[in-house]
Amino acid sequence: MHTFYRPKDLGQSGKSHPVIIWGNGTGAVPGVYSSLLRHWASQGFIVAAANTPTSNYAISMRLGIDVLEQRNADSSSPYYHKVDLAHIGSAGHSQGGAAAVNAAIDPRVITAVPIQPGPLTDPDLMDEPVFYLAGQQDHIVWPALVKAMYQDSDHVPAVYGEVRGAGHLDSIGDGGEFRAPATAWFRYWLMGDEAAGRMFFGPDCGYCADAALWSGWERNAAALQHSGPTA
């Protein structure tokens, strides 16, 4: 039910790796996003990508956590005691973007990155920090629809980034211009990377002034109150 991407140095020096569960766009499979998911693995994440072209309800995504829990406890598995089950994020594109929000209903998920998310979700059901990504030239999932989800997430720290000139398919493959900010978000929330956190939080956040990347950028009140890294 899943394709797993893992770091080459899995568990080296006794470390465990945080998890990203992934949802595909409509009709797609993990291989469509292989370069992006491999990039995350190279950054030290274990990625559990659901092998389903209809990910919206996030059932398969959440089952990916179950599989990793079992493998982490199995002494015969290469994942034995190498999975950081306390730091799990959800991500996905299009229909899978909506699924990333739906997956965050699971208490094991602590943050979400919906990329150009479809409409079949309800942000009010989640209580984790969330980073919404939209494409300025997306004519399938209009930026206004993504911004409405962001505005409906006023109960959690939420950030909205609209990638300048990006269409709906620009995030497939290696993730395009969506890859770096999504990676930075996960590095902060799942790895405690303070430099990555400074791209989003604090008065001088790195992405806040990046007009070349963003055609739209907003942080809600809860995100503005988030103190960000201390060093």
Side-chain angles (χ1 to χ4, degrees), residues 101-124:
V101 178
N102 293 333
I105 297 170
D106 192 308
R108 296 172 294 182
V109 176
I110 66 170
T111 190
V113 178
I115 302 173
Q116 299 167 293
L120 299 180
T121 188
D122 182 358
D124 287 329

Side-chain angles (χ1 to χ4, degrees), residues 35-163:
S35 294
L36 171 62
L37 306 183
R38 290 176 185 275
H39 170 73
W40 283 339
S42 78
Q43 294 285 304
F45 300 100
I46 294 171
V47 182
N51 292 334
T52 174
T54 53
S55 58
N56 203 105
Y57 292 109
I59 296 170
S60 296
M61 292 172 66
R62 295 169 66 182
L63 286 173
I65 305 175
D66 297 340
V67 173
L68 286 173
E69 286 179 337
Q70 294 165 6
R71 293 184 179 181
N72 191 59
D74 181 358
S75 60
S76 66
S77 169
Y79 293 91
Y80 181 57
H81 287 179
K82 298 179 177 68
V83 187
D84 182 356
L85 295 167
H87 294 92
I88 300 174
S90 61
H93 171 238
S94 195
Q95 181 179 158
V101 178
N102 293 333
I105 297 170
D106 192 308
R108 296 172 294 182
V109 176
I110 66 170
T111 190
V113 178
I115 302 173
Q116 299 167 293
L120 299 180
T121 188
D122 182 358
D124 287 329
L125 297 176
M126 64 177 294
D127 57 5
E128 295 80 17
V130 56
F131 179 28
Y132 291 98
L133 283 163
Q136 183 187 24
Q137 300 299 327
D138 189 340
H139 302 301
I140 296 176
V141 177
W142 288 20
L145 300 177
V146 183
K147 183 175 282 190
M149 291 186 194
Y150 155 77
Q151 292 169 339
D152 198 24
S153 301
D154 56 354
H155 58 295
V156 296
V159 177
Y160 171 81
E162 183 182 295
V163 176

